[in-house]
Amino acid sequence: MARKAPSQVRSDLPRRTPREGDRAVVPGVSSRTLVEIARVERHRYEPGAAYRALSAWRATVYGRGPSWIIYPSWDEDYPCCRPVWGGDHREALEVFCLSLPRRAVRELRAVLAPLDARFLARTLPDPYAPPGDPWWRRRLERA
């Protein structure tokens, strides 16, 4: 009796359906860092929170504004639709940086560095911002 080839056996197995958080991995970091990020997500946020926060921060940074200067808006129009972590994506990423081990923080900050540099280059400082606010909050919100 002929045997099936291993590839045929694998193709006959039932396919695993992807869950929502399966593809939500932070690009540019090692698998070890992804494990640490997942640990923080389990304890503080929800699965995929770091990926969504990074995606939203990237969209803010690369969003087009008047004269290529962006004026970030920190107020949410629809409070019912805010993410579990509060809506301030850069702040959520900073919490991840404060919660991770040193090696993982180094990798995550390396991913954030070009985004932060672009944000600083495309925004203007707010001279009236409270000095205790994080640096991303001390930027102008309106023209």
Side-chain angles (χ1 to χ4, degrees):
M1 179 171 193
R3 292 181 43 180
K4 287 185 178 179
S7 61
Q8 182 64 40
V9 172
R10 282 190 300 272
S11 68
D12 291 342
L13 292 174
R15 300 260 182 223
R16 188 178 77 109
T17 58
R19 293 179 303 207
E20 187 172 320
D22 280 354
R23 302 301 266 156
V25 295
V26 176
V29 297
S30 66
S31 60
R32 191 172 177 183
T33 300
L34 290 174
V35 168
E36 293 296 331
I37 288 173
R39 179 184 55 80
V40 173
E41 286 177 342
R42 268 194 317 272
H43 293 294
R44 290 192 176 209
Y45 298 108
E46 59 187 15
Y51 172 77
R52 284 189 297 279
L54 183 65
S55 297
W57 182 242
R58 183 176 285 122
T60 299
V61 168
Y62 283 99
R64 193 167 181 164
S67 304
W68 286 95
I69 296 176
I70 56 175
Y71 297 98
S73 177
W74 305 115
D75 57 330
E76 296 286 332
D77 294 331
Y78 304 102
C80 64
C81 301
R82 285 186 189 161
V84 176
W85 59 88
D88 192 350
H89 306 292
R90 185 56 181 91
E91 190 169 336
L93 291 168
E94 194 63 27
V95 169
F96 275 102
C97 288
L98 295 174
S99 304
L100 294 171
R102 276 188 278 174
R103 179 181 174 155
V105 170
R106 230 182 358 257
E107 290 183 28
L108 185 58
R109 289 215 187 268
V111 171
L112 290 173
L115 299 174
D116 293 345
R118 183 172 171 93
F119 181 77
L120 285 170
R122 294 190 61 209
T123 56
L124 302 172
D126 185 0
Y128 303 109
D133 280 356
W135 64 266
W136 59 89
R137 288 259 188 205
R138 293 191 310 258
R139 309 305 284 179
L140 285 175
E141 290 191 34
R142 303 272 189 262

Short mmCIF file of all heavy atoms in Angstrom, two decimals, residues 37-92:
data_model
loop_
_atom_site.label_atom_id
_atom_site.label_comp_id
_atom_site.label_asym_id
_atom_site.label_seq_id
_atom_site.Cartn_x
_atom_site.Cartn_y
_atom_site.Cartn_z
N ILE A 37 7.07 41.92 25.31
CA ILE A 37 5.96 42.82 25.01
C ILE A 37 4.63 42.12 25.26
O ILE A 37 3.71 42.71 25.84
CB ILE A 37 6.06 43.34 23.56
CG1 ILE A 37 7.21 44.34 23.44
CG2 ILE A 37 4.76 43.98 23.10
CD1 ILE A 37 7.51 44.78 22.02
N ALA A 38 4.54 40.86 24.86
CA ALA A 38 3.31 40.10 25.09
C ALA A 38 3.04 39.95 26.59
O ALA A 38 1.88 39.99 27.02
CB ALA A 38 3.41 38.73 24.42
N ARG A 39 4.09 39.79 27.37
CA ARG A 39 3.92 39.68 28.83
C ARG A 39 3.33 40.98 29.39
O ARG A 39 2.39 40.95 30.19
CB ARG A 39 5.27 39.39 29.48
CG ARG A 39 5.21 39.26 31.00
CD ARG A 39 6.60 39.07 31.59
NE ARG A 39 7.54 40.11 31.21
CZ ARG A 39 7.60 41.33 31.78
NH1 ARG A 39 6.78 41.64 32.75
NH2 ARG A 39 8.50 42.20 31.38
N VAL A 40 3.85 42.12 28.96
CA VAL A 40 3.34 43.41 29.44
C VAL A 40 1.90 43.62 28.95
O VAL A 40 1.05 44.11 29.70
CB VAL A 40 4.25 44.57 28.98
CG1 VAL A 40 3.64 45.91 29.31
CG2 VAL A 40 5.63 44.43 29.60
N GLU A 41 1.62 43.21 27.72
CA GLU A 41 0.26 43.34 27.19
C GLU A 41 -0.73 42.52 28.02
O GLU A 41 -1.84 42.97 28.29
CB GLU A 41 0.21 42.88 25.73
CG GLU A 41 0.82 43.85 24.77
CD GLU A 41 0.83 43.34 23.35
OE1 GLU A 41 0.68 42.13 23.14
OE2 GLU A 41 1.00 44.16 22.44
N ARG A 42 -0.33 41.33 28.42
CA ARG A 42 -1.22 40.49 29.23
C ARG A 42 -1.54 41.12 30.58
O ARG A 42 -2.65 41.03 31.06
CB ARG A 42 -0.57 39.12 29.47
CG ARG A 42 -0.93 38.08 28.46
CD ARG A 42 -0.54 36.69 28.93
NE ARG A 42 0.76 36.58 29.55
CZ ARG A 42 1.90 36.37 28.90
NH1 ARG A 42 1.90 36.25 27.59
NH2 ARG A 42 3.05 36.26 29.54
N HIS A 43 -0.55 41.78 31.17
CA HIS A 43 -0.74 42.32 32.51
C HIS A 43 -1.34 43.72 32.53
O HIS A 43 -2.01 44.07 33.48
CB HIS A 43 0.59 42.32 33.27
CG HIS A 43 1.09 40.95 33.55
ND1 HIS A 43 0.45 40.08 34.39
CD2 HIS A 43 2.17 40.27 33.08
CE1 HIS A 43 1.10 38.94 34.45
NE2 HIS A 43 2.15 39.01 33.66
N ARG A 44 -1.08 44.53 31.51
CA ARG A 44 -1.51 45.93 31.57
C ARG A 44 -2.54 46.32 30.52
O ARG A 44 -3.33 47.21 30.74
CB ARG A 44 -0.31 46.85 31.41
CG ARG A 44 0.60 46.82 32.59
CD ARG A 44 1.57 47.93 32.49
NE ARG A 44 2.38 47.94 33.69
CZ ARG A 44 2.91 49.00 34.18
NH1 ARG A 44 2.76 50.14 33.59
NH2 ARG A 44 3.63 48.93 35.28
N TYR A 45 -2.45 45.71 29.35
CA TYR A 45 -3.29 46.15 28.24
C TYR A 45 -4.13 45.00 27.71
O TYR A 45 -4.78 44.31 28.44
CB TYR A 45 -2.43 46.76 27.13
CG TYR A 45 -1.66 47.98 27.58
CD1 TYR A 45 -0.29 47.95 27.76
CD2 TYR A 45 -2.32 49.17 27.82
CE1 TYR A 45 0.41 49.07 28.17
CE2 TYR A 45 -1.63 50.29 28.24
CZ TYR A 45 -0.27 50.24 28.41
OH TYR A 45 0.41 51.34 28.82
N GLU A 46 -4.05 44.81 26.42
CA GLU A 46 -4.74 43.71 25.74
C GLU A 46 -3.82 43.24 24.63
O GLU A 46 -2.92 43.97 24.22
CB GLU A 46 -6.07 44.19 25.18
CG GLU A 46 -5.94 45.31 24.20
CD GLU A 46 -7.28 45.88 23.78
OE1 GLU A 46 -8.29 45.63 24.44
OE2 GLU A 46 -7.29 46.60 22.78
N PRO A 47 -4.01 42.02 24.11
CA PRO A 47 -3.12 41.53 23.05
C PRO A 47 -3.13 42.44 21.84
O PRO A 47 -4.18 42.90 21.39
CB PRO A 47 -3.71 40.16 22.71
CG PRO A 47 -4.43 39.74 23.94
CD PRO A 47 -4.96 41.01 24.56
N GLY A 48 -1.95 42.75 21.33
CA GLY A 48 -1.82 43.61 20.16
C GLY A 48 -1.79 45.09 20.47
O GLY A 48 -1.74 45.91 19.56
N ALA A 49 -1.78 45.47 21.74
CA ALA A 49 -1.82 46.89 22.10
C ALA A 49 -0.56 47.63 21.65
O ALA A 49 -0.64 48.76 21.18
CB ALA A 49 -2.00 47.04 23.61
N ALA A 50 0.60 47.00 21.77
CA ALA A 50 1.84 47.66 21.35
C ALA A 50 1.85 47.89 19.84
O ALA A 50 2.25 48.97 19.38
CB ALA A 50 3.05 46.82 21.76
N TYR A 51 1.39 46.92 19.09
CA TYR A 51 1.34 47.08 17.64
C TYR A 51 0.39 48.20 17.24
O TYR A 51 0.70 49.03 16.40
CB TYR A 51 0.92 45.76 16.99
CG TYR A 51 0.67 45.88 15.51
CD1 TYR A 51 1.72 45.94 14.62
CD2 TYR A 51 -0.62 45.96 15.01
CE1 TYR A 51 1.50 46.07 13.26
CE2 TYR A 51 -0.86 46.09 13.67
CZ TYR A 51 0.21 46.14 12.80
OH TYR A 51 -0.03 46.28 11.46
N ARG A 52 -0.80 48.23 17.87
CA ARG A 52 -1.77 49.27 17.53
C ARG A 52 -1.27 50.65 17.94
O ARG A 52 -1.47 51.63 17.22
CB ARG A 52 -3.12 48.96 18.17
CG ARG A 52 -3.85 47.85 17.43
CD ARG A 52 -5.27 47.69 17.92
NE ARG A 52 -5.35 47.29 19.33
CZ ARG A 52 -5.21 46.05 19.76
NH1 ARG A 52 -4.97 45.08 18.89
NH2 ARG A 52 -5.31 45.78 21.04
N ALA A 53 -0.61 50.74 19.11
CA ALA A 53 -0.06 52.02 19.54
C ALA A 53 1.04 52.48 18.60
O ALA A 53 1.10 53.66 18.23
CB ALA A 53 0.46 51.91 20.97
N LEU A 54 1.91 51.56 18.18
CA LEU A 54 2.98 51.92 17.25
C LEU A 54 2.41 52.31 15.90
O LEU A 54 2.87 53.28 15.28
CB LEU A 54 3.96 50.76 17.10
CG LEU A 54 5.17 51.02 16.21
CD1 LEU A 54 6.05 52.09 16.82
CD2 LEU A 54 5.96 49.74 16.00
N SER A 55 1.40 51.61 15.43
CA SER A 55 0.77 51.95 14.14
C SER A 55 0.12 53.33 14.20
O SER A 55 0.23 54.11 13.26
CB SER A 55 -0.28 50.91 13.76
OG SER A 55 0.33 49.66 13.59
N ALA A 56 -0.55 53.63 15.30
CA ALA A 56 -1.19 54.93 15.44
C ALA A 56 -0.15 56.04 15.56
O ALA A 56 -0.33 57.13 15.00
CB ALA A 56 -2.11 54.94 16.65
N TRP A 57 0.93 55.77 16.26
CA TRP A 57 2.01 56.77 16.37
C TRP A 57 2.65 57.01 15.00
O TRP A 57 2.93 58.13 14.63
CB TRP A 57 3.04 56.31 17.39
CG TRP A 57 4.16 57.29 17.62
CD1 TRP A 57 5.47 57.07 17.39
CD2 TRP A 57 4.06 58.63 18.12
NE1 TRP A 57 6.20 58.18 17.71
CE2 TRP A 57 5.36 59.16 18.16
CE3 TRP A 57 2.99 59.42 18.52
CZ2 TRP A 57 5.62 60.45 18.60
CZ3 TRP A 57 3.26 60.72 18.96
CH2 TRP A 57 4.55 61.22 18.99
N ARG A 58 2.85 55.94 14.25
CA ARG A 58 3.41 56.08 12.90
C ARG A 58 2.46 56.87 12.00
O ARG A 58 2.89 57.73 11.23
CB ARG A 58 3.68 54.70 12.30
CG ARG A 58 4.33 54.77 10.92
CD ARG A 58 4.68 53.41 10.38
NE ARG A 58 5.86 52.91 11.07
CZ ARG A 58 5.91 51.78 11.76
NH1 ARG A 58 4.84 51.01 11.85
NH2 ARG A 58 7.02 51.39 12.34
N ALA A 59 1.16 56.63 12.13
CA ALA A 59 0.18 57.38 11.33
C ALA A 59 0.18 58.86 11.72
O ALA A 59 0.04 59.73 10.86
CB ALA A 59 -1.22 56.79 11.53
N THR A 60 0.34 59.15 13.00
CA THR A 60 0.43 60.55 13.43
C THR A 60 1.68 61.21 12.88
O THR A 60 1.63 62.33 12.37
CB THR A 60 0.45 60.63 14.98
OG1 THR A 60 -0.75 60.05 15.48
CG2 THR A 60 0.58 62.05 15.46
N VAL A 61 2.79 60.51 12.97
CA VAL A 61 4.07 61.08 12.53
C VAL A 61 4.10 61.30 11.02
O VAL A 61 4.58 62.32 10.54
CB VAL A 61 5.22 60.17 12.98
CG1 VAL A 61 6.52 60.54 12.32
CG2 VAL A 61 5.36 60.22 14.49
N TYR A 62 3.57 60.35 10.27
CA TYR A 62 3.61 60.46 8.82
C TYR A 62 2.36 61.10 8.24
O TYR A 62 2.23 61.21 7.03
CB TYR A 62 3.85 59.09 8.19
CG TYR A 62 5.29 58.67 8.30
CD1 TYR A 62 5.70 57.79 9.29
CD2 TYR A 62 6.23 59.16 7.42
CE1 TYR A 62 7.01 57.42 9.41
CE2 TYR A 62 7.56 58.80 7.54
CZ TYR A 62 7.94 57.93 8.53
OH TYR A 62 9.25 57.58 8.65
N GLY A 63 1.43 61.53 9.10
CA GLY A 63 0.25 62.22 8.62
C GLY A 63 0.62 63.56 8.02
O GLY A 63 1.54 64.24 8.46
N ARG A 64 -0.11 63.93 7.03
CA ARG A 64 0.20 65.17 6.34
C ARG A 64 -0.53 66.33 7.02
O ARG A 64 -1.70 66.25 7.34
CB ARG A 64 -0.26 65.07 4.90
CG ARG A 64 0.30 66.17 4.08
CD ARG A 64 0.11 65.89 2.63
NE ARG A 64 0.70 67.01 1.93
CZ ARG A 64 1.01 67.02 0.69
NH1 ARG A 64 0.77 65.96 -0.02
NH2 ARG A 64 1.55 68.05 0.14
N GLY A 65 0.17 67.40 7.25
CA GLY A 65 -0.41 68.57 7.89
C GLY A 65 -0.20 69.80 7.01
O GLY A 65 0.43 69.73 5.96
N PRO A 66 -0.71 70.93 7.44
CA PRO A 66 -0.53 72.16 6.66
C PRO A 66 0.95 72.52 6.60
O PRO A 66 1.64 72.56 7.61
CB PRO A 66 -1.35 73.20 7.40
CG PRO A 66 -1.52 72.66 8.78
CD PRO A 66 -1.45 71.17 8.67
N SER A 67 1.43 72.78 5.40
CA SER A 67 2.83 73.17 5.16
C SER A 67 3.81 72.14 5.72
O SER A 67 4.88 72.48 6.17
CB SER A 67 3.12 74.53 5.78
OG SER A 67 2.26 75.49 5.30
N TRP A 68 3.41 70.90 5.74
CA TRP A 68 4.22 69.79 6.25
C TRP A 68 4.52 69.92 7.72
O TRP A 68 5.37 69.24 8.24
CB TRP A 68 5.51 69.64 5.44
CG TRP A 68 5.22 69.06 4.12
CD1 TRP A 68 5.03 69.74 2.96
CD2 TRP A 68 5.03 67.70 3.79
NE1 TRP A 68 4.74 68.88 1.95
CE2 TRP A 68 4.74 67.61 2.43
CE3 TRP A 68 5.06 66.52 4.53
CZ2 TRP A 68 4.49 66.41 1.80
CZ3 TRP A 68 4.82 65.33 3.89
CH2 TRP A 68 4.55 65.29 2.54
N ILE A 69 3.86 70.82 8.40
CA ILE A 69 3.98 70.88 9.86
C ILE A 69 2.71 70.30 10.42
O ILE A 69 1.61 70.74 10.08
CB ILE A 69 4.20 72.32 10.36
CG1 ILE A 69 5.53 72.84 9.84
CG2 ILE A 69 4.15 72.37 11.88
CD1 ILE A 69 5.79 74.27 10.20
N ILE A 70 2.83 69.32 11.27
CA ILE A 70 1.63 68.71 11.83
C ILE A 70 1.35 69.31 13.19
O ILE A 70 2.25 69.65 13.94
CB ILE A 70 1.77 67.17 11.92
CG1 ILE A 70 2.99 66.76 12.73
CG2 ILE A 70 1.80 66.54 10.57
CD1 ILE A 70 3.11 65.27 12.97
N TYR A 71 0.09 69.46 13.47
CA TYR A 71 -0.35 69.90 14.78
C TYR A 71 -1.15 68.75 15.39
O TYR A 71 -2.31 68.57 15.04
CB TYR A 71 -1.22 71.16 14.66
CG TYR A 71 -0.47 72.32 14.09
CD1 TYR A 71 -0.57 72.64 12.74
CD2 TYR A 71 0.36 73.08 14.89
CE1 TYR A 71 0.15 73.69 12.21
CE2 TYR A 71 1.07 74.14 14.37
CZ TYR A 71 0.97 74.44 13.04
OH TYR A 71 1.67 75.48 12.51
N PRO A 72 -0.51 67.97 16.24
CA PRO A 72 -1.21 66.81 16.78
C PRO A 72 -2.38 67.22 17.64
O PRO A 72 -2.31 68.20 18.38
CB PRO A 72 -0.14 66.10 17.60
CG PRO A 72 0.84 67.15 17.93
CD PRO A 72 0.81 68.14 16.80
N SER A 73 -3.44 66.49 17.55
CA SER A 73 -4.61 66.72 18.38
C SER A 73 -4.72 65.60 19.39
O SER A 73 -4.87 64.44 19.02
CB SER A 73 -5.87 66.77 17.51
OG SER A 73 -6.99 66.93 18.32
N TRP A 74 -4.60 65.94 20.65
CA TRP A 74 -4.59 64.92 21.69
C TRP A 74 -5.98 64.63 22.21
O TRP A 74 -6.19 63.69 22.95
CB TRP A 74 -3.68 65.33 22.84
CG TRP A 74 -2.31 65.64 22.39
CD1 TRP A 74 -1.69 66.85 22.43
CD2 TRP A 74 -1.38 64.75 21.79
NE1 TRP A 74 -0.43 66.76 21.90
CE2 TRP A 74 -0.21 65.49 21.51
CE3 TRP A 74 -1.41 63.41 21.46
CZ2 TRP A 74 0.91 64.92 20.92
CZ3 TRP A 74 -0.29 62.84 20.88
CH2 TRP A 74 0.84 63.60 20.62
N ASP A 75 -6.96 65.46 21.87
CA ASP A 75 -8.31 65.21 22.37
C ASP A 75 -9.04 64.29 21.41
O ASP A 75 -8.94 64.42 20.21
CB ASP A 75 -9.08 66.51 22.57
CG ASP A 75 -9.15 67.33 21.29
OD1 ASP A 75 -8.22 67.24 20.47
OD2 ASP A 75 -10.13 68.07 21.11
N GLU A 76 -9.78 63.37 21.96
CA GLU A 76 -10.51 62.41 21.15
C GLU A 76 -11.93 62.92 20.93
O GLU A 76 -12.57 63.42 21.85
CB GLU A 76 -10.56 61.05 21.85
CG GLU A 76 -9.21 60.41 22.03
CD GLU A 76 -8.66 59.86 20.74
OE1 GLU A 76 -9.46 59.48 19.87
OE2 GLU A 76 -7.44 59.80 20.61
N ASP A 77 -12.44 62.81 19.73
CA ASP A 77 -13.79 63.25 19.43
C ASP A 77 -14.83 62.27 19.94
O ASP A 77 -15.95 62.65 20.25
CB ASP A 77 -13.96 63.43 17.92
CG ASP A 77 -13.11 64.57 17.40
OD1 ASP A 77 -12.85 65.52 18.18
OD2 ASP A 77 -12.71 64.52 16.22
N TYR A 78 -14.47 61.00 19.99
CA TYR A 78 -15.42 59.97 20.38
C TYR A 78 -14.85 59.18 21.56
O TYR A 78 -14.14 58.19 21.37
CB TYR A 78 -15.70 59.04 19.21
CG TYR A 78 -16.19 59.77 18.00
CD1 TYR A 78 -15.35 60.03 16.93
CD2 TYR A 78 -17.50 60.24 17.94
CE1 TYR A 78 -15.80 60.73 15.83
CE2 TYR A 78 -17.95 60.92 16.84
CZ TYR A 78 -17.10 61.17 15.79
OH TYR A 78 -17.55 61.86 14.70
N PRO A 79 -15.16 59.59 22.79
CA PRO A 79 -14.57 58.89 23.94
C PRO A 79 -15.00 57.43 24.05
O PRO A 79 -14.29 56.64 24.65
CB PRO A 79 -15.06 59.70 25.15
CG PRO A 79 -16.13 60.59 24.65
CD PRO A 79 -16.01 60.70 23.16
N CYS A 80 -16.12 57.07 23.46
CA CYS A 80 -16.56 55.67 23.56
C CYS A 80 -15.67 54.76 22.73
O CYS A 80 -15.63 53.55 22.95
CB CYS A 80 -18.01 55.55 23.11
SG CYS A 80 -18.26 55.98 21.38
N CYS A 81 -14.96 55.30 21.75
CA CYS A 81 -14.16 54.49 20.84
C CYS A 81 -12.68 54.47 21.21
O CYS A 81 -11.86 53.98 20.45
CB CYS A 81 -14.32 55.00 19.41
SG CYS A 81 -16.02 54.99 18.85
N ARG A 82 -12.33 55.02 22.36
CA ARG A 82 -10.92 55.04 22.76
C ARG A 82 -10.45 53.63 23.09
O ARG A 82 -11.20 52.82 23.61
CB ARG A 82 -10.74 55.91 23.99
CG ARG A 82 -10.81 57.37 23.69
CD ARG A 82 -10.47 58.16 24.92
NE ARG A 82 -10.76 59.55 24.67
CZ ARG A 82 -10.92 60.44 25.60
NH1 ARG A 82 -10.82 60.09 26.87
NH2 ARG A 82 -11.16 61.69 25.30
N PRO A 83 -9.19 53.35 22.82
CA PRO A 83 -8.65 52.05 23.20
C PRO A 83 -8.61 51.92 24.72
O PRO A 83 -8.72 52.90 25.45
CB PRO A 83 -7.23 52.06 22.63
CG PRO A 83 -7.20 53.17 21.66
CD PRO A 83 -8.25 54.13 22.05
N VAL A 84 -8.40 50.71 25.19
CA VAL A 84 -8.38 50.43 26.61
C VAL A 84 -7.28 51.23 27.31
O VAL A 84 -7.43 51.65 28.44
CB VAL A 84 -8.18 48.91 26.84
CG1 VAL A 84 -8.05 48.60 28.31
CG2 VAL A 84 -9.33 48.15 26.23
N TRP A 85 -6.15 51.46 26.64
CA TRP A 85 -5.03 52.12 27.30
C TRP A 85 -5.18 53.63 27.33
O TRP A 85 -4.29 54.33 27.77
CB TRP A 85 -3.71 51.73 26.65
CG TRP A 85 -3.64 52.06 25.20
CD1 TRP A 85 -3.22 53.24 24.66
CD2 TRP A 85 -3.98 51.23 24.11
NE1 TRP A 85 -3.30 53.18 23.29
CE2 TRP A 85 -3.76 51.96 22.94
CE3 TRP A 85 -4.46 49.94 24.02
CZ2 TRP A 85 -4.00 51.42 21.68
CZ3 TRP A 85 -4.69 49.43 22.77
CH2 TRP A 85 -4.45 50.16 21.63
N GLY A 86 -6.26 54.21 26.87
CA GLY A 86 -6.50 55.63 27.07
C GLY A 86 -6.42 56.47 25.80
O GLY A 86 -6.88 57.58 25.79
N GLY A 87 -5.83 55.97 24.75
CA GLY A 87 -5.84 56.72 23.51
C GLY A 87 -4.55 57.44 23.20
O GLY A 87 -4.28 57.77 22.06
N ASP A 88 -3.73 57.74 24.19
CA ASP A 88 -2.47 58.42 23.90
C ASP A 88 -1.43 57.35 23.56
O ASP A 88 -0.86 56.71 24.43
CB ASP A 88 -2.02 59.24 25.09
CG ASP A 88 -0.88 60.18 24.74
OD1 ASP A 88 -0.31 60.06 23.65
OD2 ASP A 88 -0.58 61.03 25.56
N HIS A 89 -1.21 57.19 22.29
CA HIS A 89 -0.41 56.07 21.80
C HIS A 89 1.06 56.18 22.18
O HIS A 89 1.69 55.18 22.53
CB HIS A 89 -0.58 55.93 20.29
CG HIS A 89 -2.02 55.85 19.91
ND1 HIS A 89 -2.80 54.76 20.24
CD2 HIS A 89 -2.83 56.71 19.27
CE1 HIS A 89 -4.03 54.95 19.80
NE2 HIS A 89 -4.08 56.13 19.22
N ARG A 90 1.61 57.38 22.12
CA ARG A 90 3.02 57.52 22.48
C ARG A 90 3.22 57.26 23.97
O ARG A 90 4.23 56.70 24.38
CB ARG A 90 3.53 58.92 22.09
CG ARG A 90 5.02 59.14 22.32
CD ARG A 90 5.81 58.08 21.58
NE ARG A 90 7.22 58.19 21.74
CZ ARG A 90 7.92 57.59 22.71
NH1 ARG A 90 7.32 56.84 23.60
NH2 ARG A 90 9.21 57.72 22.77
N GLU A 91 2.24 57.63 24.76
CA GLU A 91 2.33 57.36 26.19
C GLU A 91 2.27 55.87 26.48
O GLU A 91 2.98 55.37 27.34
CB GLU A 91 1.21 58.09 26.93
CG GLU A 91 1.36 58.05 28.42
CD GLU A 91 0.39 58.99 29.11
OE1 GLU A 91 -0.06 59.96 28.49
OE2 GLU A 91 0.09 58.71 30.28
N ALA A 92 1.44 55.15 25.75
CA ALA A 92 1.38 53.70 25.90
C ALA A 92 2.72 53.07 25.52
O ALA A 92 3.20 52.16 26.20
CB ALA A 92 0.26 53.12 25.04
#
